[in-house]
Amino acid sequence: MPMALAQEKPKGITVYPSIMHVDLASDPAEYNLTYVNNTTGEINLKLSVEDFTQLEDSYKISFLEGKQAANYKYSLSSWISFANPQIYLNPGEKKTIKVFIDDKRITKGGHYASILAEIAQPENNKQVNIKAILSSLLFVRASTGKEIEEGKISTFLPERDNFDYPNSYVLRFQNNGNVHVIPYGLIEIFDPFGNLAAKGIVNQDSLDALPESIRLYSVSVVTYQKMLLPGLYKAKISLHFGKTNQKLFSEVKFFTQGSFDFIKIDVFLFAIIILLIYYKKRKKNNVK
């Protein structure tokens, strides 16, 4: 009978959900955040809000402050408030706070912010030494009737070296709308005879693409053919995104050596040619 492994208990302070999506057309203009104290000391959390944007061609985000945040039309911090901006947690204790969104004043499109919880050590507690900030991302879609879903495939290419057969593909999705969307889709690869050679699922992690930005997705594919012949292959991608189920299609053709290694084959043929020349010269010398 297999031995059951005990799950490791979380350490430090945890927060959930770490990512929250709120659509004001169908969801309440509030949600709950739960903080858990997994330490042995008392914890004091001070809550705040900071806007963020997505770095171009990256999985990373950039926090905005001051003029940057004030000039960012997709900011959210101005419309966020808390039932209580400060939480005290005893060892092992968890508490839930309400986050409110001002749906009466929020402007059109998508808005984004991170709910920050700064962890401060109580003055009367010398056993715990923690100085950190917990972050929980919030994606809000307004309901003004002026939300636009629009996008295109700016890049779709195989990831590979020279003529190697690619096991992954690069997708750059350009979001031209004013709301965040999550593109999903399928990549299919066909061999020179039109047979299905490989397939891959786009965006299995459900990563958001923010408005007016380009998001890079790397898509791995599963190859079904044991032997891949050299030749011209075709990769097709089909995407869908948004509440209006927008659809996009693209394809790319590329030459690949398949399961063969042209460099090793060339080296082998070159060696054979050298040996043939050597033996031919040797035979010619022996005849003389």
Side-chain angles (χ1 to χ4, degrees):
M1 183 175 181
M3 181 181 295
L5 298 177
Q7 290 186 337
E8 185 178 350
K9 292 183 179 181
K11 299 177 181 179
I13 314 299
T14 55
V15 56
Y16 59 90
S18 59
I19 298 177
M20 186 68 182
H21 291 79
V22 176
D23 185 349
L24 294 176
S26 56
D27 300 326
E30 62 181 56
Y31 76 104
N32 294 328
L33 267 180
T34 300
Y35 293 90
V36 184
N37 181 4
N38 302 299
T39 72
T40 58
E42 297 177 354
I43 295 296
N44 176 19
L45 299 179
K46 296 180 180 179
L47 303 182
S48 61
V49 188
E50 195 165 316
D51 298 305
F52 69 84
T53 185
Q54 180 179 300
L55 294 176
E56 288 291 308
D57 227 7
S58 172
Y59 290 96
K60 299 179 180 179
I61 61 174
S62 174
F63 290 103
L64 305 176
E65 297 179 349
K67 291 183 179 180
Q68 280 187 318
N71 296 328
Y72 184 50
K73 63 182 177 181
Y74 301 110
S75 65
L76 179 60
S77 57
S78 300
W79 299 295
I80 294 294
S81 60
F82 306 105
N84 187 351
Q86 194 157 327
I87 305 173
Y88 293 93
L89 292 171
N90 293 317
E93 186 179 16
K94 70 176 180 180
K95 285 185 180 178
T96 298
I97 60 103
K98 280 195 177 296
V99 181
F100 299 103
I101 305 163
D102 190 345
D103 57 340
K104 305 300 181 185
R105 293 176 51 245
I106 195 168
T107 57
K108 65 181 180 181
H111 298 273
Y112 316 102
S114 177
I115 310 301
L116 303 178
E118 182 179 352
I119 306 169
Q121 177 183 345
E123 294 182 1
N124 60 349
N125 190 336
K126 304 301 182 182
Q127 295 181 346
V128 180
N129 186 17
I130 298 175
K131 186 66 175 179
I133 296 178
L134 287 174
S135 176
S136 177
L137 303 182
L138 176 56
F139 297 78
V140 174
R141 175 176 173 141
S143 181
T144 66
K146 298 180 180 180
E147 284 64 51
I148 301 171
E149 295 178 338
E150 185 179 320
K152 72 174 186 178
I153 298 171
S154 64
T155 303
F156 174 51
L157 291 172
E159 288 186 294
R160 61 176 182 159
D161 295 324
N162 301 318
F163 296 111
D164 288 349
Y165 173 78
N167 292 310
S168 62
Y169 292 75
V170 169
L171 164 67
R172 287 183 173 89
F173 176 82
Q174 182 172 328
N175 185 352
N176 297 321
N178 65 2
V179 293
H180 53 284
V181 295
I182 304 177
Y184 295 102
L186 181 69
I187 292 178
E188 294 178 304
I189 295 86
F190 298 89
D191 67 15
F193 303 101
N195 301 312
L196 182 65
K199 187 184 295 186
I201 305 298
V202 178
N203 197 14
Q204 295 189 77
D205 296 326
S206 300
L207 302 175
D208 292 90
L210 297 190
E212 299 183 37
S213 69
I214 296 175
R215 178 100 196 217
L216 182 146
Y217 298 92
S218 182
V219 185
S220 299
V221 297
V222 177
T223 302
Y224 300 108
Q225 296 183 5
K226 293 182 179 180
M227 178 64 70
L228 296 166
L229 296 175
L232 191 64
Y233 283 67
K234 180 189 293 185
K236 293 183 177 181
I237 185 171
S238 58
L239 292 180
H240 62 92
F241 63 91
K243 294 171 66 174
T244 54
N245 197 29
Q246 301 283 324
K247 291 182 172 62
L248 297 173
F249 303 93
S250 184
E251 66 177 52
V252 60
K253 294 180 180 179
F254 57 92
F255 180 83
T256 175
Q257 62 189 0
S259 301
F260 300 86
D261 191 325
F262 283 175
I263 295 178
K264 290 183 178 180
I265 293 174
D266 289 345
V267 170
F268 176 76
L269 292 176
F270 181 74
I272 293 294
I273 292 172
I274 294 298
L275 287 173
L276 289 174
I277 293 174
Y278 170 78
Y279 283 115
K280 187 175 181 181
K281 285 184 177 180
R282 185 175 179 181
K283 184 177 181 181
K284 187 176 180 180
N285 293 332
N286 290 336
V287 170
K288 290 180 179 180

